[in-house]
Every structure is written in C-alpha cells, then in structure tokens.
C-alpha cells in the first residue's frame, strides 16, 4: 500500500475529554458511506420491471461492513505512548493482536484452573474494539468511568445489531458478549485476559525503552502491576521487571528503576513500590 493510499482513511482524533461524544458524530467524522448509521438495513433489489429496491428487514448478511470498522483499530494509536512523544507507536489493533498470541501461549495450568483459553483468545481480539470509534480513553483523561463505559457499550450494540446482526451463528451477539464478560471481570477467563492486557503494556514499556536506547523512561507504566489478579500474571510481571532492571543496569543507570512510586523487583524477587521521598530527611 502506498503512503497516499494508507492515509486515505484517517484515524479518528483521540477522545476529547471535554467534548460531547455521540455515535452519530463519530460515524459522521468518517469518509462518506464508510460505515452505515445505526439501525441501517441494506437495500434489496425487487424482481419487478421498474427495478426498484426496498430496504431489507435484515441486517447485513456478510461481515464486510464490520471489517471497515476493524480497520479503524489499525489507525487509532494507543494514547499513553503519544503523551511521551512516541507518535508512531502501537495501534489498538497491534495491542489486541499481541494479546491474542499471549493467550495462545498461556500455560496449560490456567486451563486446568478454569480459564477457557480459546475463549480468552477471542476475548483478547475484541476487548478494545469500541476504541475504533471512541478512541483510546486513558485513566488520566477527564472522562468518568461510567461515561467511558456508556460510549463503548453504544459502539458494541451498534456492532452487534447493525454490522453483525445478520451474520450466521450469532457473531454479533458473541462479540458483544465477549466484551461484556471482559468488562465485568468476574470470570476466570476475563481476569486472565485483563492480566494479559496489563502484561502487554509492560512488554511494550520495556521494548520502547530499549528501542529509544534509554532516551525514554517509561517507568510510570509499571504501576499497572497493581491490577494484576493471577499468580501466572504476577510471575510474568516479575520476569519483565527483571528484564527492565537488566536493561537500565547495562546502561549504567540502575537508579532509573528506583524512581519513587514506580514499581520494580527487589533482591528477594518481590514486586515492590519505590517509597516516596521522606521530606523530613531532605
């Protein structure tokens, strides 16, 4: 694909926390006829002499319109990296793709403990699908959690009913159900996928620090380890902290991993939070 072709469909701007968001406005910001409006039904040709057509009573019978929405996930960048000047960083699609591979590579012990690993892979592939139209809203944005959920739910209903409602075997209902299970975070499968989401972030943190040869300290992202829920997730996190420690020590800057309120692994192989400075000792 040429550069001009690749830029013909631009990503939606990242969410403006102070702007009113609506699904209709998000769809209207796309190129003409790129995605149909909510509740749209395709035209059906009538077998009559005048060749007229009427709206079908069924949604689309193929997934191609849905694939147009999926391409937006390849365009939307993960916002956290942009704040550090990494403007050509990973996309939402990049993030979900590697997460899905991480679930495939998960240890069998998770399956025996009640995690449905095949379902986890499918969940990883769709868990951030709503960001195609909502954008990547992060914890530092001025968007309340309930508002973020409302926006994302509206997109997932649109996906399930308008884009995938007529697909065989209930694909729309499945995609929406996987998203709802992930958001609820009550099943063992959802908890593992939530952990994989955090682990993929830690992986990318180490990789960007390495790619920038120490020119970027992304230690603030180590805080996500607080949200890891499984023993396997914590073991993987420990390995990633060891990897980060080796990198910065190799650069002669081991103190980078000890910045206050960032997380690291100590000599006892425990994940710890670096303490805040004591003002009485300064």
């Amino acid at each position: 694909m040429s550069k001009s072709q690749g830029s013909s469909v631009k990503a939606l701007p990242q969410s403006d926390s102070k702007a009113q968001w609506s699904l209709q406005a998000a769809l209207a910001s796309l190129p003409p006829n790129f995605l149909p409006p909510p509740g749209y039904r395709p035209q059906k040709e009538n077998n009559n002499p005048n060749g007229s057509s009427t709206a079908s009573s069924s949604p689309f019978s193929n997934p191609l319109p849905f694939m147009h929405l999926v391409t937006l996930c390849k365009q939307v960048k993960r916002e956290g990296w942009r704040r550090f000047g990494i403007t050509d960083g990973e996309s939402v699609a990049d993030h979900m793709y590697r997460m899905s591979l991480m679930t495939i590579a998960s240890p069998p012990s998770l399956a025996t403990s009640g995690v449905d690993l095949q379902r986890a892979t499918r969940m990883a592939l769709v868990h951030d699908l709503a960001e195609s139209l909502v954008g990547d809203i992060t914890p530092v944005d001025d968007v309340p959690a309930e508002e973020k959920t409302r926006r994302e739910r509206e997109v997932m209903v649109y996906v399930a009913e308008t884009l995938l409602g007529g697909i065989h075997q209930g694909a729309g209902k499945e995609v929406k159900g996987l998203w709802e299970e992930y958001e609820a975070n009550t099943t063992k499968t959802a908890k593992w996928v939530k952990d994989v989401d955090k682990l993929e972030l830690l992986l990318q943190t180490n990789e960007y620090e390495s790619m920038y040869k120490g020119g970027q300290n992304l230690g603030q992202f180590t805080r996500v380890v607080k949200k890891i829920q499984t023993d396997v997730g914590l073991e993987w996190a420990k390995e990633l902290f060891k990897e980060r420690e080796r990198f910065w020590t190799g650069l002669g800057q081991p103190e980078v991993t000890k910045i206050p309120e960032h997380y690291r692994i100590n000599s006892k192989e425990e994940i710890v939070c670096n303490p805040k400075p004591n003002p009485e000792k300064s």
Side-chain angles (χ1 to χ4, degrees):
M1 181 181 289
S2 69
K3 187 173 181 180
S4 61
Q5 287 174 315
S7 61
S8 60
V9 178
K10 295 183 179 180
L12 290 172
Q14 298 297 294
S15 287
D16 182 347
S17 60
K18 297 179 180 178
Q20 292 294 321
W21 181 93
S22 72
L23 178 59
Q24 289 78 6
L27 293 171
S29 71
L30 298 172
N33 302 316
F34 191 75
L35 284 173
Y40 175 82
R41 295 295 182 262
Q43 296 294 304
K44 179 174 63 176
E45 295 295 331
N46 293 328
N47 294 322
N48 55 45
N50 63 17
S52 62
S53 60
T54 58
S56 170
S57 60
S58 301
F60 296 100
S61 60
N62 66 67
L64 299 180
F66 171 65
M67 295 306 158
H68 290 318
L69 178 131
V70 172
T71 202
L72 297 175
C73 291
K74 299 193 292 182
Q75 304 286 333
V76 177
K77 297 295 185 181
R78 296 261 284 166
E79 184 65 13
W81 310 124
R82 286 160 53 104
R83 293 196 176 95
F84 280 82
I86 304 174
T87 56
D88 60 345
E90 66 170 344
S91 69
V92 170
D94 295 330
H95 169 65
M96 292 193 292
Y97 175 67
R98 180 154 67 172
M99 278 183 61
S100 69
L101 293 179
M102 291 169 72
T103 63
I104 291 173
S106 298
S109 61
L110 285 168
T112 58
S113 70
V115 176
D116 185 335
L117 291 176
Q118 289 190 353
R119 185 169 179 81
T121 299
R122 297 165 83 87
M123 190 179 294
L125 281 170
V126 304
H127 79 285
D128 277 342
L129 192 61
E131 292 181 9
S132 57
L133 293 172
V134 171
D136 182 22
I137 300 173
T138 70
V140 301
D141 291 319
D142 187 22
V143 178
E146 59 272 17
E147 171 61 14
K148 177 178 181 290
T149 299
R150 181 196 70 79
R151 297 179 188 185
E152 293 181 350
R153 183 175 299 282
E154 193 169 346
V155 173
M156 297 309 292
V157 169
Y158 168 71
V159 167
E161 296 181 0
T162 300
L163 300 183
L164 290 178
I167 304 301
H168 59 87
Q169 298 178 343
K173 181 181 285 188
E174 181 190 9
V175 168
K176 180 170 172 282
L178 287 165
W179 175 81
E180 289 173 336
E181 182 178 345
Y182 176 83
E183 288 294 307
N185 191 31
T186 55
T187 67
K188 290 183 177 181
T189 301
K191 290 179 185 298
W192 174 237
V193 179
K194 285 274 188 180
D195 279 6
V196 171
D197 179 69
K198 307 303 180 291
L199 291 164
E200 202 283 328
L201 177 62
L202 292 175
L203 266 168
Q204 194 65 68
T205 294
N206 287 7
E207 290 161 357
Y208 280 145
E209 289 183 336
S210 177
M211 289 175 189
Y212 282 83
K213 300 179 174 20
Q216 285 279 16
N217 172 15
L218 303 173
Q220 77 166 42
F221 294 106
T222 61
R223 297 170 184 167
V224 300
V225 74
K226 296 184 296 182
K227 297 182 179 180
I228 290 180
Q229 306 168 87
T230 66
D231 291 340
V232 173
L234 287 171
E235 287 304 311
W236 287 20
K238 286 180 181 180
E239 293 302 315
L240 288 167
F241 281 125
K242 290 179 187 177
E243 180 181 85
R244 186 169 188 261
E245 182 96 25
R246 288 193 298 269
F247 171 73
W248 285 106
T249 300
L251 291 182
Q253 302 179 58
E255 68 280 358
V256 169
T257 64
K258 298 177 182 178
I259 291 175
E261 299 186 78
H262 291 182
Y263 283 73
R264 64 183 176 90
I265 191 164
N266 64 16
S267 59
K268 297 179 181 180
E269 297 206 355
E270 301 167 327
I271 296 174
V272 296
C273 179
N274 297 322
K276 294 181 181 180
N278 188 341
E280 294 180 0
K281 294 183 178 181
S282 59

